[in-house]
């Protein structure tokens, strides 16, 4: 029996980054790239992290086209330590909604993926990849990397210290 699950797919030239859709409240296409560490959205000021260039550098991939997307996520999906790191990095408190934003330089879509297409990282490199935010890999027409939002954000902030 096949087990499908829904993912938000960040599509780059050689890699599709997959984030389990339960972590993404919604995504919005933007006119301009946001480099600020805070963004105004629906009358709230949200902490903001732009991980697009970080993904391109870490994983040697390129955006398919100029496309800026902001993903809205909930702080409640992150542990308290990481919440504090985000506030410190962005110098912006979480609003009453508890939302924050992450932006990327890619197309996004929602995909249903057969979980049997995703494999655990080989044990010899598992710890290093987990630190980078990678939880599993998959191969189809393109490489797929299942990323953990908390680990990828933690790595991003850690690289900026």
């Amino acid at each position: 029996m096949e087990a499908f699950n829904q993912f938000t797919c960040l599509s780059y030239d050689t890699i599709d980054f997959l984030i389990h859709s339960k972590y993404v409240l919604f995504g919005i296409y933007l006119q301009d790239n946001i480099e600020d560490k805070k963004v105004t959205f629906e009358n709230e000021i949200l902490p903001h992290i732009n991980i697009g260039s970080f993904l391109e550098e870490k994983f040697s991939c390129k955006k398919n086209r100029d496309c800026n997307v902001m993903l809205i996520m909930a702080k409640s999906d992150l542990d308290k330590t990481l919440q504090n790191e985000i506030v410190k990095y962005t110098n912006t408190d979480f609003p009453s909604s508890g939302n924050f934003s992450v932006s990327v330089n890619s197309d996004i879509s929602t995909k249903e993926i057969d979980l049997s297409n995703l494999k655990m990282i080989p044990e010899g490199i598992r710890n290093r990849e987990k630190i980078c935010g990678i939880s599993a890999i998959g191969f189809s027409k393109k490489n797929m990397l299942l990323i953990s939002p908390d680990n990828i954000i933690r790595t991003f902030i850690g690289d900026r210290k």
Side-chain angles (χ1 to χ4, degrees):
M1 184 164 114
E2 296 176 346
F4 288 90
N5 228 323
Q6 196 163 5
F7 295 91
T8 299
C9 176
L10 314 174
S11 185
Y12 284 83
D13 63 341
T14 57
I15 300 173
D16 283 341
F17 294 98
L18 304 173
I19 299 173
H20 199 279
S21 289
K22 71 179 184 177
Y23 295 112
V24 179
L25 301 175
F26 50 92
I28 303 163
Y29 282 89
L30 304 170
Q31 295 292 331
D32 299 312
N33 192 3
I34 301 173
E35 292 296 333
D36 292 338
K37 294 180 181 178
K38 61 183 171 186
V39 63
T40 302
F41 178 73
E42 291 193 352
N43 299 320
E44 289 187 319
I45 297 174
L46 308 179
H48 175 260
I49 299 172
N50 184 332
I51 63 168
S53 296
F54 172 76
L55 292 175
E56 292 168 28
E57 291 168 24
K58 276 280 191 213
F59 299 99
S60 300
C61 59
K62 295 182 176 104
K63 55 188 171 186
N64 288 327
R65 62 187 178 105
D66 280 334
C67 187
N68 302 305
V69 176
M70 182 171 66
L71 304 173
I72 306 298
M73 302 175 146
K75 80 171 186 178
S76 59
D77 289 328
L78 308 173
D79 64 43
K80 294 284 185 198
T81 303
L82 183 55
Q83 290 175 25
N84 292 334
E85 287 179 38
I86 290 171
V87 168
K88 189 175 174 180
Y89 173 76
T90 62
N91 200 26
T92 307
D93 289 326
F94 289 97
S96 60
S97 67
N99 294 338
F100 68 100
S101 68
V102 173
S103 63
V104 293
N105 310 325
S106 75
D107 290 324
I108 65 164
S109 60
T110 300
K111 290 188 177 185
E112 281 195 356
I113 306 283
D114 181 347
L115 295 180
S116 67
N117 289 329
L118 297 175
K119 307 294 181 207
M120 291 295 294
I121 305 274
E123 194 168 337
I125 62 171
R126 190 173 296 160
N127 286 340
R128 181 190 173 285
E129 297 305 311
K130 187 175 180 185
I131 289 168
C132 290
I134 306 301
S135 302
I137 56 175
F139 305 99
S140 60
K141 295 176 187 173
K142 252 201 284 196
N143 294 334
M144 297 181 292
L145 295 176
L146 178 62
I147 59 176
S148 163
D150 55 344
N151 284 343
I152 204 84
I153 292 168
R154 189 174 283 110
T155 302
F156 172 85
I157 291 172
D159 279 5
R160 303 302 180 270
K161 287 183 179 177

